[in-house]
Amino acid sequence: MGSSRSSILCFLMLCASFLVPTSCHSYSHGALFIFGDSFYDAGNNIYLNTSNTSLAKLSIFPYGETYFKHPTGRVSDGRLIPDFIAEFAKLPLIPPYLQPGNHQFTNGVNFASGGAGALVENNQGPNMEKQLRKKLGASEVKTLLSTAVYMFSIGSNDYLVPFITNSTLLQSYSKKEYVKMVIGNITTVIQEIYKIGGRKFGLSKLIPWGCFPFSRELKLSSTGGSGCMEEFTLLAKLHNRALLEALKELKKSQLKGYTYSIFDAYTVATAIFNNPSKYGFEEVKWHAVAAVH
């Protein structure tokens, strides 16, 4: 098994192990609450009222064709990392929060939404505790939240938006200052979840976004140049280093019982970009669709 596959497997197993029963209360089987962007979105964007035409593409093939045999709203032709973690933990697939008729929260909820970011400007999600209290009641929510795992895939859009809009954020701050704001919002959310009982967190590093097919095409259309958008990749590297340090600092603080796992998506994606055929891809530079089979 290659190092990239080993990295993915270790992350899946560790996050799933967080859900192993530790007591005899009614929610000892654990729950999975998922936050983030299109990497973890299980279909919330299908149900959003939006004029964004790019979202309509999620309801046609090849999305969903590998595993589900129909489009599900996932930006993938198969399952996503949270789907595999749920499977490892013997949980059903965690449904998108906005899915009509979804009123079962004891296994968790997927709040991830394509386009979401950590900064206020970039599509924040709903208040989880407030929504759950309406469904389950305060006492049951407290028990549920204390045994759950909280997964995050967030940050990519915060660095992407300045490149595809008229935003002046990157001109108003240095790269390190901007990254610090993004990381600060992520750790603030972790601490807020901790306050309501959350103890187990799974996070992901950013991929080398500058070499992603979308970024290559963006560079080609905007400058006529080929190759990777190095500035975008640099931001991803700065983010990944800052995220790891921030998680370590939280561990050193007085957050009793706080624990985390971090998935090195940067290394995995780099391995795929450098040797696509090893991982079942023919093309990763221009028109490839990233998918989990």
Side-chain angles (χ1 to χ4, degrees):
M1 179 178 290
S3 59
S4 295
R5 289 190 177 92
S6 297
S7 176
I8 295 172
L9 182 60
C10 287
F11 178 72
L12 295 177
M13 293 181 67
L14 184 55
C15 282
S17 72
F18 281 167
L19 296 166
V20 172
T22 56
S23 62
C24 297
H25 49 65
S26 60
Y27 294 115
S28 61
H29 68 289
L32 189 59
F33 291 99
I34 302 160
F35 304 86
D37 49 32
S38 57
F39 278 94
Y40 284 3
D41 186 354
N44 280 305
N45 269 315
I46 288 180
Y47 307 108
L48 291 176
N49 292 323
T50 176
S51 60
N52 188 339
T53 56
S54 66
L55 299 180
K57 297 177 182 178
L58 302 182
S59 60
I60 63 174
F61 285 124
Y63 298 107
E65 69 176 2
T66 299
Y67 180 80
F68 299 97
K69 309 307 179 185
H70 64 87
T72 63
R74 290 167 172 82
V75 189
S76 170
D77 70 344
R79 287 170 289 178
L80 306 175
I81 285 177
D83 297 324
F84 285 97
I85 289 178
E87 180 181 346
F88 269 72
K90 301 187 184 306
L91 293 173
L93 295 182
I94 307 302
Y97 173 74
L98 295 178
Q99 178 177 298
N102 173 30
H103 303 295
Q104 299 299 319
F105 293 90
T106 56
N107 292 313
V109 188
N110 188 322
F111 293 103
S113 179
L119 298 180
V120 175
E121 296 85 354
N122 297 328
N123 305 322
Q124 288 186 316
N127 182 295
M128 179 191 67
E129 184 187 21
K130 181 179 180 181
Q131 300 295 335
L132 284 172
R133 283 180 182 275
K134 292 180 180 179
K135 302 293 183 182
L136 300 178
S139 61
E140 291 184 337
V141 166
K142 182 178 180 180
T143 304
L144 176 62
L145 299 183
S146 66
T147 58
V149 171
Y150 302 85
M151 290 188 64
F152 294 82
S153 172
I154 200 74
S156 295
N157 291 302
D158 296 294
Y159 304 112
L160 173 62
V161 166
F163 289 101
I164 61 175
T165 68
N166 294 322
S167 170
T168 60
L169 283 173
L170 287 180
Q171 285 71 50
S172 303
Y173 302 93
S174 70
K175 290 182 176 61
K176 289 186 177 180
E177 289 173 335
Y178 189 74
V179 168
K180 185 177 180 180
M181 289 193 300
V182 174
I183 298 297
N185 279 15
I186 293 173
T187 55
T188 294
V189 170
I190 290 175
Q191 292 177 82
E192 290 299 316
I193 292 176
Y194 181 90
K195 289 178 182 178
I196 62 174
R199 295 295 183 269
K200 305 169 184 178
F201 300 87
L203 297 99
S204 177
K205 291 183 179 181
L206 302 186
I207 67 172
W209 265 107
C211 293
F212 204 67
F214 174 84
S215 302
R216 290 174 179 269
E217 294 180 4
L218 181 62
K219 180 176 181 179
L220 181 65
S221 62
S222 60
T223 69
S226 60
C228 301
M229 291 180 63
E230 298 300 339
E231 186 176 9
F232 201 175
T233 296
L234 175 59
L235 286 167
K237 289 180 178 179
L238 291 173
H239 174 97
N240 291 341
R241 286 198 293 267
L243 176 62
L244 187 56
E245 289 303 314
L247 295 175
K248 289 180 179 178
E249 286 301 314
L250 285 177
K251 188 71 173 178
K252 294 177 183 177
S253 65
Q254 301 302 312
L255 301 185
K256 184 179 180 180
Y258 156 80
T259 186
Y260 70 90
S261 174
I262 187 165
F263 172 45
D264 190 358
Y266 187 97
T267 297
V268 171
T270 298
I272 294 173
F273 289 152
N274 291 339
N275 192 1
S277 61
K278 181 179 178 181
Y279 301 94
F281 294 92
E282 295 181 4
E283 174 61 64
V284 296
K285 291 184 178 181
W286 299 110
H287 58 270
V289 176
V292 179
H293 295 278

